[in-house]
PDB file of all heavy atoms in Angstrom:
ATOM      1  N   PHE A  32       8.568  42.020 -16.901  1.00 95.00           N
ATOM      2  CA  PHE A  32       8.572  42.359 -18.322  1.00 95.00           C
ATOM      3  C   PHE A  32       9.052  43.812 -18.546  1.00 95.00           C
ATOM      4  O   PHE A  32      10.019  44.068 -19.272  1.00 95.00           O
ATOM      5  CB  PHE A  32       7.167  42.157 -18.880  1.00 95.00           C
ATOM      6  CG  PHE A  32       6.979  42.470 -20.342  1.00 95.00           C
ATOM      7  CD1 PHE A  32       8.026  42.794 -21.176  1.00 95.00           C
ATOM      8  CD2 PHE A  32       5.701  42.420 -20.896  1.00 95.00           C
ATOM      9  CE1 PHE A  32       7.833  43.080 -22.519  1.00 95.00           C
ATOM     10  CE2 PHE A  32       5.496  42.694 -22.241  1.00 95.00           C
ATOM     11  CZ  PHE A  32       6.558  43.036 -23.044  1.00 95.00           C
ATOM     12  N   MET A  33       8.430  44.768 -17.880  1.00 96.00           N
ATOM     13  CA  MET A  33       8.818  46.166 -18.132  1.00 96.00           C
ATOM     14  C   MET A  33      10.205  46.447 -17.540  1.00 96.00           C
ATOM     15  O   MET A  33      10.981  47.215 -18.102  1.00 96.00           O
ATOM     16  CB  MET A  33       7.770  47.126 -17.589  1.00 96.00           C
ATOM     17  CG  MET A  33       6.509  47.117 -18.432  1.00 96.00           C
ATOM     18  SD  MET A  33       6.833  47.576 -20.162  1.00 96.00           S
ATOM     19  CE  MET A  33       6.267  46.141 -21.056  1.00 96.00           C
ATOM     20  N   LYS A 122       2.953  52.934 -17.284  1.00 98.00           N
ATOM     21  CA  LYS A 122       1.559  53.356 -17.474  1.00 98.00           C
ATOM     22  C   LYS A 122       0.621  52.245 -17.032  1.00 98.00           C
ATOM     23  O   LYS A 122       1.019  51.101 -16.975  1.00 98.00           O
ATOM     24  CB  LYS A 122       1.316  53.694 -18.932  1.00 98.00           C
ATOM     25  CG  LYS A 122       1.938  52.807 -20.038  1.00 98.00           C
ATOM     26  CD  LYS A 122       1.843  51.324 -19.906  1.00 98.00           C
ATOM     27  CE  LYS A 122       0.451  50.761 -19.891  1.00 98.00           C
ATOM     28  NZ  LYS A 122       0.411  49.282 -19.704  1.00 98.00           N
ATOM     29  N   ASN A 150       5.353  54.171 -24.537  1.00 98.00           N
ATOM     30  CA  ASN A 150       6.504  54.052 -25.441  1.00 98.00           C
ATOM     31  C   ASN A 150       6.140  54.171 -26.917  1.00 98.00           C
ATOM     32  O   ASN A 150       6.977  54.501 -27.746  1.00 98.00           O
ATOM     33  CB  ASN A 150       7.203  52.707 -25.214  1.00 98.00           C
ATOM     34  CG  ASN A 150       6.238  51.537 -25.225  1.00 98.00           C
ATOM     35  OD1 ASN A 150       5.272  51.524 -24.463  1.00 98.00           O
ATOM     36  ND2 ASN A 150       6.469  50.565 -26.083  1.00 98.00           N
ATOM     37  N   TYR A 151       4.856  53.914 -27.271  1.00 98.00           N
ATOM     38  CA  TYR A 151       4.510  53.849 -28.693  1.00 98.00           C
ATOM     39  C   TYR A 151       4.580  55.215 -29.364  1.00 98.00           C
ATOM     40  O   TYR A 151       4.666  55.307 -30.589  1.00 98.00           O
ATOM     41  CB  TYR A 151       3.145  53.202 -28.884  1.00 98.00           C
ATOM     42  CG  TYR A 151       3.100  51.783 -28.386  1.00 98.00           C
ATOM     43  CD1 TYR A 151       2.162  51.383 -27.447  1.00 98.00           C
ATOM     44  CD2 TYR A 151       4.022  50.837 -28.818  1.00 98.00           C
ATOM     45  CE1 TYR A 151       2.143  50.072 -26.963  1.00 98.00           C
ATOM     46  CE2 TYR A 151       4.017  49.531 -28.341  1.00 98.00           C
ATOM     47  CZ  TYR A 151       3.074  49.171 -27.412  1.00 98.00           C
ATOM     48  OH  TYR A 151       3.055  47.877 -26.934  1.00 98.00           O
ATOM     49  N   TYR A 179      -6.648  47.920 -29.486  1.00 99.00           N
ATOM     50  CA  TYR A 179      -5.448  47.292 -28.916  1.00 99.00           C
ATOM     51  C   TYR A 179      -5.929  45.926 -28.425  1.00 99.00           C
ATOM     52  O   TYR A 179      -6.672  45.824 -27.456  1.00 99.00           O
ATOM     53  CB  TYR A 179      -4.829  48.100 -27.799  1.00 99.00           C
ATOM     54  CG  TYR A 179      -3.372  47.742 -27.517  1.00 99.00           C
ATOM     55  CD1 TYR A 179      -2.490  48.652 -26.973  1.00 99.00           C
ATOM     56  CD2 TYR A 179      -2.860  46.472 -27.799  1.00 99.00           C
ATOM     57  CE1 TYR A 179      -1.161  48.339 -26.721  1.00 99.00           C
ATOM     58  CE2 TYR A 179      -1.550  46.129 -27.546  1.00 99.00           C
ATOM     59  CZ  TYR A 179      -0.700  47.066 -27.035  1.00 99.00           C
ATOM     60  OH  TYR A 179       0.622  46.722 -26.774  1.00 99.00           O
ATOM     61  N   GLN A 181      -5.343  41.776 -27.528  1.00 98.00           N
ATOM     62  CA  GLN A 181      -4.482  40.665 -27.116  1.00 98.00           C
ATOM     63  C   GLN A 181      -5.383  39.469 -26.796  1.00 98.00           C
ATOM     64  O   GLN A 181      -6.616  39.586 -26.785  1.00 98.00           O
ATOM     65  CB  GLN A 181      -3.651  41.065 -25.878  1.00 98.00           C
ATOM     66  CG  GLN A 181      -2.714  42.246 -26.122  1.00 98.00           C
ATOM     67  CD  GLN A 181      -1.966  42.675 -24.878  1.00 98.00           C
ATOM     68  OE1 GLN A 181      -2.329  42.351 -23.750  1.00 98.00           O
ATOM     69  NE2 GLN A 181      -0.873  43.428 -25.070  1.00 98.00           N
ATOM     70  N   TRP A 183      -4.072  36.857 -24.324  1.00 98.00           N
ATOM     71  CA  TRP A 183      -3.288  36.008 -23.405  1.00 98.00           C
ATOM     72  C   TRP A 183      -4.095  35.461 -22.231  1.00 98.00           C
ATOM     73  O   TRP A 183      -3.631  34.561 -21.532  1.00 98.00           O
ATOM     74  CB  TRP A 183      -2.036  36.734 -22.911  1.00 98.00           C
ATOM     75  CG  TRP A 183      -2.269  38.051 -22.224  1.00 98.00           C
ATOM     76  CD1 TRP A 183      -2.518  39.243 -22.831  1.00 98.00           C
ATOM     77  CD2 TRP A 183      -2.278  38.312 -20.811  1.00 98.00           C
ATOM     78  NE1 TRP A 183      -2.675  40.236 -21.892  1.00 98.00           N
ATOM     79  CE2 TRP A 183      -2.538  39.694 -20.640  1.00 98.00           C
ATOM     80  CE3 TRP A 183      -2.093  37.529 -19.672  1.00 98.00           C
ATOM     81  CZ2 TRP A 183      -2.607  40.301 -19.379  1.00 98.00           C
ATOM     82  CZ3 TRP A 183      -2.165  38.123 -18.423  1.00 98.00           C
ATOM     83  CH2 TRP A 183      -2.419  39.492 -18.286  1.00 98.00           C
ATOM     84  N   ARG A 194      -2.694  41.289 -12.735  1.00 98.00           N
ATOM     85  CA  ARG A 194      -3.358  42.177 -13.708  1.00 98.00           C
ATOM     86  C   ARG A 194      -4.868  41.932 -13.761  1.00 98.00           C
ATOM     87  O   ARG A 194      -5.585  42.745 -14.354  1.00 98.00           O
ATOM     88  CB  ARG A 194      -2.776  41.977 -15.105  1.00 98.00           C
ATOM     89  CG  ARG A 194      -1.416  42.622 -15.328  1.00 98.00           C
ATOM     90  CD  ARG A 194      -1.085  42.703 -16.810  1.00 98.00           C
ATOM     91  NE  ARG A 194       0.264  43.204 -17.044  1.00 98.00           N
ATOM     92  CZ  ARG A 194       0.631  44.479 -16.915  1.00 98.00           C
ATOM     93  NH1 ARG A 194      -0.264  45.378 -16.526  1.00 98.00           N
ATOM     94  NH2 ARG A 194       1.874  44.861 -17.138  1.00 98.00           N
ATOM     95  N   ASP A 207      -4.487  48.836 -18.894  1.00 98.00           N
ATOM     96  CA  ASP A 207      -3.218  48.237 -19.330  1.00 98.00           C
ATOM     97  C   ASP A 207      -2.932  48.547 -20.799  1.00 98.00           C
ATOM     98  O   ASP A 207      -1.875  49.026 -21.160  1.00 98.00           O
ATOM     99  CB  ASP A 207      -3.303  46.717 -19.122  1.00 98.00           C
ATOM    100  CG  ASP A 207      -2.004  46.042 -19.481  1.00 98.00           C
ATOM    101  OD1 ASP A 207      -0.948  46.677 -19.359  1.00 98.00           O
ATOM    102  OD2 ASP A 207      -2.058  44.886 -19.916  1.00 98.00           O
ATOM    103  N   ILE A 208      -3.916  48.274 -21.668  1.00 98.00           N
ATOM    104  CA  ILE A 208      -3.670  48.495 -23.106  1.00 98.00           C
ATOM    105  C   ILE A 208      -4.546  49.613 -23.676  1.00 98.00           C
ATOM    106  O   ILE A 208      -4.122  50.355 -24.559  1.00 98.00           O
ATOM    107  CB  ILE A 208      -3.836  47.190 -23.916  1.00 98.00           C
ATOM    108  CG1 ILE A 208      -5.121  46.465 -23.580  1.00 98.00           C
ATOM    109  CG2 ILE A 208      -2.612  46.310 -23.712  1.00 98.00           C
ATOM    110  CD1 ILE A 208      -5.330  45.160 -24.347  1.00 98.00           C
ATOM    111  N   HIS A 211      -2.836  52.948 -23.699  1.00 99.00           N
ATOM    112  CA  HIS A 211      -1.892  53.225 -24.787  1.00 99.00           C
ATOM    113  C   HIS A 211      -2.592  53.910 -25.962  1.00 99.00           C
ATOM    114  O   HIS A 211      -2.072  54.896 -26.510  1.00 99.00           O
ATOM    115  CB  HIS A 211      -1.254  51.925 -25.290  1.00 99.00           C
ATOM    116  CG  HIS A 211      -0.063  51.468 -24.503  1.00 99.00           C
ATOM    117  ND1 HIS A 211       1.060  52.232 -24.334  1.00 99.00           N
ATOM    118  CD2 HIS A 211       0.170  50.308 -23.862  1.00 99.00           C
ATOM    119  CE1 HIS A 211       1.948  51.566 -23.609  1.00 99.00           C
ATOM    120  NE2 HIS A 211       1.431  50.388 -23.309  1.00 99.00           N
ATOM    121  N   ASN A 289      -0.655  41.133 -29.974  1.00 98.00           N
ATOM    122  CA  ASN A 289      -0.346  42.483 -29.472  1.00 98.00           C
ATOM    123  C   ASN A 289      -0.696  43.481 -30.575  1.00 98.00           C
ATOM    124  O   ASN A 289       0.102  44.264 -31.032  1.00 98.00           O
ATOM    125  CB  ASN A 289       1.150  42.590 -29.099  1.00 98.00           C
ATOM    126  CG  ASN A 289       1.402  43.793 -28.186  1.00 98.00           C
ATOM    127  OD1 ASN A 289       0.578  44.125 -27.331  1.00 98.00           O
ATOM    128  ND2 ASN A 289       2.523  44.467 -28.392  1.00 98.00           N
ATOM    129  N   TYR A 351      10.270  46.248 -31.199  1.00 98.00           N
ATOM    130  CA  TYR A 351       9.562  46.699 -29.997  1.00 98.00           C
ATOM    131  C   TYR A 351      10.522  47.306 -28.978  1.00 98.00           C
ATOM    132  O   TYR A 351      10.254  48.363 -28.406  1.00 98.00           O
ATOM    133  CB  TYR A 351       8.826  45.498 -29.398  1.00 98.00           C
ATOM    134  CG  TYR A 351       8.161  45.737 -28.071  1.00 98.00           C
ATOM    135  CD1 TYR A 351       6.993  46.488 -27.974  1.00 98.00           C
ATOM    136  CD2 TYR A 351       8.691  45.206 -26.893  1.00 98.00           C
ATOM    137  CE1 TYR A 351       6.375  46.704 -26.752  1.00 98.00           C
ATOM    138  CE2 TYR A 351       8.091  45.421 -25.673  1.00 98.00           C
ATOM    139  CZ  TYR A 351       6.926  46.163 -25.604  1.00 98.00           C
ATOM    140  OH  TYR A 351       6.331  46.389 -24.391  1.00 98.00           O
TER     141      TYR A 351
HETATM  142  C1  LIG B 512       0.511  43.550 -21.329  1.00 94.84           C
HETATM  143  O1  LIG B 512      -0.746  43.851 -21.763  1.00 94.84           O
HETATM  144  C2  LIG B 512       1.526  44.504 -21.960  1.00 94.84           C
HETATM  145  O2  LIG B 512       2.780  44.082 -21.522  1.00 94.84           O
HETATM  146  C3  LIG B 512       1.302  45.946 -21.497  1.00 94.84           C
HETATM  147  O3  LIG B 512       1.420  46.054 -20.091  1.00 94.84           O
HETATM  148  C4  LIG B 512       2.332  46.850 -22.179  1.00 94.84           C
HETATM  149  O4  LIG B 512       2.147  48.216 -21.799  1.00 94.84           O
HETATM  150  C5  LIG B 512       2.159  46.722 -23.690  1.00 94.84           C
HETATM  151  O5  LIG B 512       3.099  47.538 -24.357  1.00 94.84           O
HETATM  152  C6  LIG B 512       2.339  45.269 -24.112  1.00 94.84           C
HETATM  153  O6  LIG B 512       1.415  44.418 -23.374  1.00 94.84           O
END
Side-chain angles (χ1 to χ4, degrees):
F32 180 6
M33 288 301 121
K122 40 46 62 182
N150 50 304
Y151 298 124
Y179 200 153
Q181 299 177 342
W183 57 281
R194 284 195 185 285
D207 183 29
I208 49 180
H211 275 302
N289 198 36
Y351 174 74

